[in-house]
Amino acid sequence: MGREAVVSVPDIGDYKNVEIIEVLVKTGDAVKADDSLIALESDKAAMEVPSPFGGTVKEVKVQLGDRVSQGSPILTLVVEEGDAPTAASEPAPAAAAAPPKPEPTAEPPAAATAPPSAPAATPQPAQVTAAVAPPPPTTTPLGEGAPPHASPSVRKFARELGADLAQIRGTGIKGRILKEDVQNFIKQRLQQPERTAASGFSLPEPVEIDFSQFGPVDRKPMSRIKKLSATNLHRAWVGIPHVTHQDEADITDLEAFRVSLKQEAERREVKLTLLPFIMKAVIATLKAFPNFNASLAANGEELILKQYYHLGFAVDTPDGLVVPVLRDADRKSVYEIAAELAELGVRARNRKLRNTDLQGGTFTISSLGGIGGTSFTPIVNAPEVSILGVCKAQLKPVYQNGQWVPRLMLPLSLSYDHRVIDGAEAARFAATLAQLLGDLRRVLL
Ligand code: CAO
């Protein structure tokens, strides 16, 4: 059974209230003597605090961003017999560790600690001061997900250039990152075509976080479909100035009509849901507002108005979202649309869609109506310029002709590319669609 020792910040020269810029260990980590525990950065220097001896981290007492001075406790280590600090090192024998004054940002001297060898005599945690020095080149990593090894000066250099050490492959001993590695990484990045320059801004690199430091985790690979749609959704979300317009359609009469057709639909062996009727109303609305059935030319100076109506519809599958396209929906009856929707839906869920089933859409509908919700903000399915989101119809009290009456109201969420479509135009599109859904006979007009 080991004994506990509190490791605290050693003599760091004239520096006080220095910010912790990295916490390099977590509870449960096994550390060796000279493994780095935390990294500090003052306005002048960056330095790492290595462990004065080996052990297992019992409790980390600091957090990223904390400010510390000499003597501030960093963590409690459980130290094995024979590797433990002596009683002579209690309570804060800076001399025991005898650290040299830190050499700001310069390559430091070799390991400065001399872990006491005698077993501890008291059951109280020993107070041990760590020495400020980076781990020697032979220090081994702390395990998977451990931060990359680099000297404080290299860390500071990387930070100044905005280079993420986690992305750099070190060519030094045991993978240690050298200044040249940081320089090469930056050179490579500068030579890469600037993917985001055309859109006028760049995104910060995502930060890699070790979530297991907060609790148990599991890792599950993203499906191929999810990975593909993630790229498309991200591109559309970042590249298109989105606005979502909300409206409601009174579908009381439409729903009554749909229900009245149930037997006929059964005879035709078709499941007649709301979606085919919504598609019919959408096509009539697109004909009245051609800008919504269009794409922005790559030069950004022309609108390509499509003379065909291929409607994409989002299908929820166990592998993720797919958007098959129902071609020439304007030339098909409600029954034909219903049959084709069902067929494409089944193929989507059975991963039997062909590439051509997923191409050429001019406008997309994402219906969550069978599930629920009152509104959402669908992402435009680029290169289209607009998408209709539909949620679950609800019976609501509506004031009509001097009295409150129950009406079945369908929530509509219309997202659009504001470079192409103005807010007033979107409001008119949604109002027209709502009017058509309120009285589908108008589709004939
Ligand atoms: N309001 C109330 N009820 C609705 C409704 C609405 N807006 N839309 C559908 N319903 C009803 C249907 O009429 C059907 O009722 P019955 O069984 O009584 O006939 C029931 O809900 C189930 O419909 P459905 O969802 O099976 O069929 P659908 O034609 O409406 O939709 C499809 C087909 C493929 C679009 C749907 O199954 C689906 O996958 N939806 C999810 C789409 C999605 O994930 N979108 C999010 C994209 S962004 O991540």
Side-chain angles (χ1 to χ4, degrees), residues 105-229:
T105 72
E107 286 291 336
T113 52
S117 53
T122 81
Q124 293 301 310
Q127 187 79 28
V128 177
T129 306
V132 174
T138 50
T139 305
T140 46
L142 296 173
E144 215 186 9
H149 277 297
S151 71
S153 59
V154 170
R155 284 180 187 280
K156 189 165 196 304
F157 180 60
R159 221 174 355 264
E160 280 165 3
L161 295 177
D164 178 4
L165 283 180
Q167 293 186 38
I168 301 178
R169 205 175 60 83
T171 58
I173 298 167
K174 297 217 169 178
R176 195 173 173 82
I177 298 169
L178 309 175
K179 192 173 179 187
E180 293 73 44
D181 298 326
V182 178
Q183 283 166 334
N184 289 336
F185 175 79
I186 295 289
K187 256 187 232 162
Q188 261 176 19
R189 282 291 158 111
L190 289 173
Q191 280 158 9
Q192 270 172 15
E194 187 49 83
R195 281 184 298 153
T196 45
S199 52
F201 67 95
S202 64
L203 294 170
E205 291 291 337
V207 181
E208 175 101 43
I209 298 171
D210 175 13
F211 294 102
S212 66
Q213 66 186 298
F214 307 117
V217 294
D218 222 347
R219 285 180 100 94
K220 174 180 154 194
M222 295 265 281
S223 71
R224 197 181 58 83
I225 289 178
K226 279 221 174 214
K227 281 195 271 189
L228 280 175
S229 52

Side-chain angles (χ1 to χ4, degrees), residues 19-40:
E19 188 178 352
I20 299 180
I21 52 163
E22 274 175 283
V23 178
L24 301 162
V25 291
K26 58 183 186 309
T27 303
D29 276 351
V31 294
K32 297 197 197 65
D34 293 326
D35 277 347
S36 296
L37 303 175
I38 54 172
L40 307 173

Side-chain angles (χ1 to χ4, degrees), residues 321-382:
L321 170 73
V322 283
V323 186
V325 175
L326 198 146
R327 303 186 106 72
D328 298 312
D330 56 317
R331 299 197 214 147
K332 292 174 179 162
S333 72
V334 165
Y335 285 124
E336 286 170 324
I337 291 176
E340 208 172 312
L341 276 179
E343 195 249 6
L344 283 168
V346 168
R347 281 207 280 127
R349 291 187 177 108
N350 294 336
R351 304 190 209 176
K352 291 275 168 4
L353 289 176
R354 294 175 295 260
N355 256 352
T356 47
D357 294 323
L358 299 162
Q359 291 168 353
T362 58
F363 182 92
T364 294
I365 301 175
S366 177
S367 172
L368 297 173
I371 305 168
T374 55
S375 71
F376 69 115
T377 52
I379 297 179
V380 171
N381 190 15

Side-chain angles (χ1 to χ4, degrees), residues 233 251 255 258 262 271-276 278 313-317 321-323 341 345 349 365-371 376 378-379 387 390-394 408-411:
L233 289 166
I251 58 160
E255 181 59 8
R258 185 184 78 88
K262 263 209 161 155
K271 187 177 179 212
L272 200 53
T273 61
L274 202 54
L275 195 52
I278 296 175
F313 64 105
V315 180
D316 175 35
T317 81
L321 170 73
V322 283
V323 186
L341 276 179
R349 291 187 177 108
I365 301 175
S366 177
S367 172
L368 297 173
I371 305 168
F376 69 115
I379 297 179
I387 180 169
V390 180
C391 286
K392 195 175 181 65
Q394 308 253 17
L408 189 62
M409 305 303 290
L410 180 72

